[in-house]
Amino acid sequence: MYNLRRLAVLRELKYRGTLAAVASAMSYSPSAVSQQLTLLESEVGARLLEREGRGVRLTPQAEILVARTEKALRELERAEAEIAASLREVSGTIRVAAFQTAMLALMPVALTWLRENHPRTRVEASQAEPHTSLPGLLTRDFDLVIDETFPGHAPPARASEFEHYLLCEDAMRLATPAPVVSLADLAERPWVMEPAGTPARAWATAVCHAAGFEPDVAYVSADMLVHARLVEQGHAVAFLPDMLWFDRAPGVILDGSASHTRTVLATVRAGAGEHPLIQTFLTAIRHAIGELPARTG
């Protein structure tokens, strides 16, 4: 039988790309990683790595092993969930990544609920956008990711690797310093948007295109508080999420129609969704969502 720890090293190499990155993630030295892979090749009786430029790539035989390792790890995750469910009290550490407004509006309330109801749970939370945090699920840097999708700009489905839980729909409202009649009236105004290549930027640009113009993106930031400040001071217009106003009244004019929304999801690895820690954290986040103020523009 192949050594599971060595198979896990091979799997890490597939997702992290270099021996140095694997060593850092698994607290090995690079030479120890290389040794583990050499021993695995001896066990398998086939070459698993080939030189490619300055790096390496997995052989077809290695890809077979990684695919089977994924299935084995999912079964072990299900076993871990079943054992945790058999215990009386929820306890342990869950590593979470969340985008900025979820980190601001939801995480503190969820942490308070957990402290009061499940004091033996520990949350390690990182602010990260979905395009960087979702790969972290596969490398097991995170156990749960709070991510967002936009109409027409959802990421490719990876049903075999992820499980998704719908948390809420969050309105994305046109935000302006002064009232406007329609989106098309803003064709000549400067915009603030998220960086190019992000789903939020692609969605916002597509909405402007549908209104008949190319937006003049003068300001770029992944920080929604920066977006709001630029609009408040009259320097830009933007699309801002309702979740941003969790603790204050908007200082901008918001479109009251709420005709655009983003979907807020919790995503976990396939097989992990029934773990009590995951389910308890989902309950905490849903409690936090229930505490958000109603917004009608």
Side-chain angles (χ1 to χ4, degrees):
M1 183 179 295
Y2 301 144
N3 183 288
L4 183 59
R5 186 65 175 172
R6 291 170 190 153
L7 289 170
V9 171
L10 182 65
R11 177 192 175 278
E12 288 287 323
L13 182 59
K14 175 179 174 64
Y15 288 115
R16 298 189 187 274
T18 67
L19 296 179
V22 174
S24 177
M26 302 187 76
S27 299
Y28 283 170
S29 67
S31 61
V33 170
S34 181
Q35 181 184 41
Q36 291 294 306
L37 293 171
T38 299
L39 289 171
L40 183 59
E41 283 189 329
S42 297
E43 288 179 349
V44 174
R47 191 165 185 163
L48 300 178
L49 303 176
E50 293 179 344
R51 287 287 177 187
E52 187 173 60
R54 295 184 178 180
V56 295
R57 67 178 178 86
L58 273 61
T59 65
Q61 293 72 33
E63 294 286 0
I64 292 171
L65 284 175
V66 169
R68 293 296 183 180
T69 301
E70 293 282 9
K71 292 182 179 180
L73 291 175
R74 283 199 290 272
E75 285 302 311
L76 288 173
E77 223 157 15
R78 290 188 178 98
E80 182 182 350
E82 290 175 11
I83 291 172
S86 71
L87 302 175
R88 287 188 174 184
E89 186 176 355
V90 178
S91 63
T93 299
I94 180 171
R95 297 161 299 169
V96 178
F99 57 86
Q100 184 197 29
T101 45
M103 199 75 163
L104 284 168
L106 303 181
M107 194 64 69
V109 178
L111 292 175
T112 298
W113 186 90
L114 286 168
R115 183 177 61 199
E116 294 172 351
N117 293 277
H118 296 280
R120 294 188 63 192
T121 62
R122 171 183 168 86
V123 177
E124 295 179 356
S126 301
Q127 181 179 315
E129 296 305 308
H131 67 281
T132 59
S133 58
L134 286 173
L137 277 177
L138 297 179
T139 55
R140 285 170 164 72
D141 294 323
F142 305 117
D143 302 307
L144 181 147
V145 168
I146 300 177
D147 60 324
E148 58 185 354
T149 62
F150 294 85
H153 295 274
R158 303 176 78 170
S160 64
E161 297 172 329
F162 294 143
E163 295 174 12
H164 304 284
Y165 295 86
L166 176 64
L167 295 178
C168 66
E169 299 289 335
D170 191 30
M172 295 292 296
R173 300 182 195 268
L174 179 63
T176 57
V180 296
V181 175
S182 69
L183 179 61
D185 293 338
L186 301 174
E188 305 301 321
R189 293 294 304 274
W191 285 76
V192 55
M193 290 188 181
E194 295 199 39
T198 60
R201 173 68 171 269
W203 167 80
T205 302
V207 171
C208 292
H209 287 171
F213 68 94
E214 182 70 35
D216 173 17
V217 184
Y219 312 106
V220 176
S221 174
D223 189 330
M224 290 294 100
L225 296 176
V226 171
H227 290 215
R229 184 65 173 163
L230 287 170
V231 178
E232 288 169 350
Q233 295 298 306
H235 299 299
V237 296
F239 290 107
L240 296 178
D242 275 3
M243 199 180 289
L244 185 63
W245 315 109
F246 68 98
D247 65 343
R248 61 191 174 112
V252 301
I253 304 298
L254 294 174
D255 176 12
S257 66
S259 56
H260 303 292
T261 62
R262 64 176 175 176
T263 300
V264 181
L265 302 166
T267 300
V268 301
R269 287 183 299 276
E274 294 306 312
H275 195 291
L277 270 174
I278 297 290
Q279 289 297 314
T280 299
F281 184 80
L282 288 174
T283 299
I285 283 293
R286 287 173 174 141
H287 167 78
I289 289 169
E291 296 294 305
L292 290 173
R295 183 72 55 196
T296 57

